[in-house]
Amino acid sequence: MGASASDIAAVTPASRDRYVDLLRVASLGTVIAGHWLMAAVSTDGIGNLLAVVPPLQVLTWALQVMPVFFFVGGFSHALSYRSLARRTDGPVYAAFLRARLRRLLRPTLVFVAVWTAVALTAQLLGGGGGRLSGAAFRLVTQPLWFIGIYLAMVALTPPLLTLHERHGWAAFGALAGAAAAVDLLRFAGGVPYAEFLNFAFVWLAVHQLGFLRADGRLRRPGALAAAGLAGAVALVAYGPYPLSMVGMPGEKVSNMAPPTLALLAHGIWLVGAVELLRTPAGAWLARPRVWRGVVAANGVAMTAFLWHLTAMLAVYAAQLGLGIALPEPAGAAWWAQVPVRFLAAAALTGVLVALFRRFESPVGSSARPGSGPGPRPGSGPRAALGTALCLLGVLGLSTTGLGGLLEGHSATLIALPVTAPVAIAMALGGWLLVERSGTSRRVRLRG
């Protein structure tokens, strides 16, 4: 049986950076609330509130906080990889991938399995082709793009961390410069498919800022925030970039899919802004009750993220089932229902978390630190191949959705058509490769 949040909070070492844990929870919580707010569900389907009320798009400059999560990921990955390297003799790449991917992929694959069963059942019973149900089967997998990108960050941590250790800020600058070059090729050169490179360059640049924080090299957060904000404003005002920092239906250019230089500037300003709050937040996190809450939330954050759209869709389904009319999005009646919908979605998300949180618990979480055998080194190439398959599978599923499973519905992933069954098979196959990348031999712990 794993340790409780109170037990973990009680033994937290003084050296732990509690603010990073708070940022992880707060960023995912903001994304969840943003999704609940933006979903404009009506009898015609599921739209986007920001498209219905365009002036609200400016709110994305504060609420599009996924860069903060990736920044925190860079910090955590640097510390985790270095700790593993210090404690073991021999290659650690495969062990690092397994350790990071288990907590990410186990709850994700369970989520995919449950929703695949629901989609197949609905289709077999003839209820999967309705306007609302079809939109739901497309919508529910869309946030999985974030997990696919995060998998790439985990896989690329060792080489990018080496570049960081050799070149520091220059490594970040190279990634940011590459993102700018890609946008130049895209908008000025018209080079086809060049824009998809920024799925790597933009998000890895934000991830690289986490490495810099891990080494205490973000010394002027105010200047960083000002530079990022000024850059984002200039790019949106004078460049081809839209105002919204999230994707909008029907737009010709999106700052998110694929990411743009404007989104990178936005990420830089957010990183600087949250770093400015580090000191006051530290005093607040020193309170035992506050820290216990952060620890508890961290233990279920990924599960809540995976299931929050399910909860929201269930609230709307219940409303229709009870015969309560769906008001026009952004009207007075719609806004009046927002607090009730939020409370209901939060309560249902809590129920789903209680059902599925066990899959987020790390394998062997009940063991005391330092007890038992050490991590297995295993095959780095096999683990890398498995991670790549997982990445492509998860990204493919976020693109295809789960509608039309029996008809072979496909969508384009970069330049290649992919179906949901193929995407699921890639994710499962990659997971098995990662799990089997270990060997029976255990790494000898130093000291």
Side-chain angles (χ1 to χ4, degrees):
M1 185 175 178
S4 68
S6 297
D7 294 334
I8 296 172
V11 297
T12 301
S15 59
R16 185 173 183 87
D17 194 328
R18 301 183 180 196
Y19 187 47
V20 166
D21 295 285
L22 175 64
L23 289 180
R24 184 183 297 110
V25 170
S27 58
L28 284 182
T30 302
V31 170
I32 289 172
H35 285 169
W36 286 345
L37 180 63
M38 286 191 298
V41 180
S42 67
T43 52
D44 294 328
I46 303 175
N48 191 314
L49 177 66
L50 301 181
V52 178
V53 190
L56 292 179
Q57 292 177 21
V58 71
L59 296 178
T60 63
W61 287 54
L63 299 179
Q64 168 50 293
V65 295
M66 200 55 84
V68 175
F69 188 89
F70 290 148
F71 163 66
V72 168
F75 175 89
S76 300
H77 295 158
L79 267 59
S80 176
Y81 187 81
R82 286 168 172 171
S83 174
L84 190 61
R86 284 193 302 268
R87 293 187 294 113
T88 63
D89 287 324
V92 298
Y93 183 61
F96 172 75
L97 286 182
R98 282 196 306 276
R100 305 303 291 186
L101 266 58
R102 274 176 173 168
R103 190 167 183 180
L104 193 65
L105 285 177
R106 289 173 72 235
T108 300
L109 293 177
V110 169
F111 168 81
V112 169
V114 171
W115 263 102
T116 299
V118 170
L120 279 174
T121 301
Q123 191 168 357
L124 289 170
L125 294 177
R131 184 173 295 176
L132 279 175
S133 59
F137 289 138
R138 289 192 303 272
L139 176 69
V140 76
T141 63
Q142 285 181 5
L144 295 181
W145 72 266
F146 140 78
I147 294 174
I149 298 298
Y150 201 76
L151 289 172
M153 292 176 173
V154 172
L156 293 173
T157 285
L160 289 179
L161 188 57
T162 299
L163 283 177
H164 159 74
E165 290 167 348
R166 292 177 180 173
H167 303 292
W169 274 99
F172 164 79
L175 288 168
V182 165
D183 273 11
L184 191 63
L185 291 174
R186 174 186 182 182
F187 295 115
V191 178
Y193 302 118
E195 63 267 28
F196 293 104
L197 292 172
N198 268 349
F199 275 114
F201 293 138
V202 168
W203 291 127
L204 289 176
V206 175
H207 189 250
Q208 207 79 5
L209 289 173
F211 294 166
L212 290 162
R213 187 190 191 280
D215 288 346
R217 300 186 66 174
L218 294 183
R219 300 187 184 96
R220 301 181 63 189
L224 191 68
L229 184 57
V233 169
L235 287 168
V236 169
Y238 302 107
Y241 306 99
L243 173 66
S244 175
M245 290 298 165
V246 301
M248 299 296 299
E251 63 186 355
K252 293 182 179 180
V253 176
S254 167
N255 280 322
M256 273 288 293
T260 63
L261 185 62
L263 184 64
L264 175 56
H266 169 73
I268 292 170
W269 111 257
L270 278 183
V271 167
V274 297
E275 282 295 284
L276 285 172
L277 300 174
R278 181 178 178 180
T279 299
W284 184 59
L285 289 166
R287 301 177 182 178
R289 181 175 298 179
V290 172
W291 178 235
R292 283 196 300 272
V294 171
V295 170
N298 260 293
V300 299
M302 186 54 58
T303 303
F305 176 80
L306 286 167
W307 292 97
H308 76 281
L309 285 181
T310 303
M312 182 203 73
L313 292 170
V315 169
Y316 278 108
Q319 186 172 345
L320 287 172
L322 293 171
I324 303 173
L326 295 177
E328 278 298 309
W334 188 89
W335 283 109
Q337 289 182 6
V338 166
V340 178
R341 284 199 302 270
F342 266 54
L343 288 173
L348 189 50
T349 299
V351 172
L352 292 168
V353 165
L355 287 173
F356 294 105
R357 63 180 297 176
R358 72 192 71 180
F359 300 105
E360 187 171 352
S361 301
V363 177
S365 61
S366 60
R368 293 170 305 183
S371 66
R376 296 172 289 163
S379 168
R382 183 182 296 178
L385 175 61
T387 303
L389 284 173
C390 287
L391 183 158
L392 292 173
V394 170
L395 287 180
L397 194 57
S398 74
T399 303
T400 64
L402 288 168
L405 286 173
L406 299 179
E407 287 85 7
H409 166 73
S410 66
T412 301
L413 177 62
I414 304 180
L416 300 174
V418 63
T419 64
V422 169
I424 293 169
M426 284 194 294
L428 287 172
W431 165 254
L432 291 174
L433 274 177
V434 171
E435 280 295 290
R436 294 176 181 177
S437 65
T439 65
S440 59
R441 179 175 59 87
R442 300 283 180 172
V443 175
R444 181 174 60 85
L445 295 178
R446 291 178 183 153

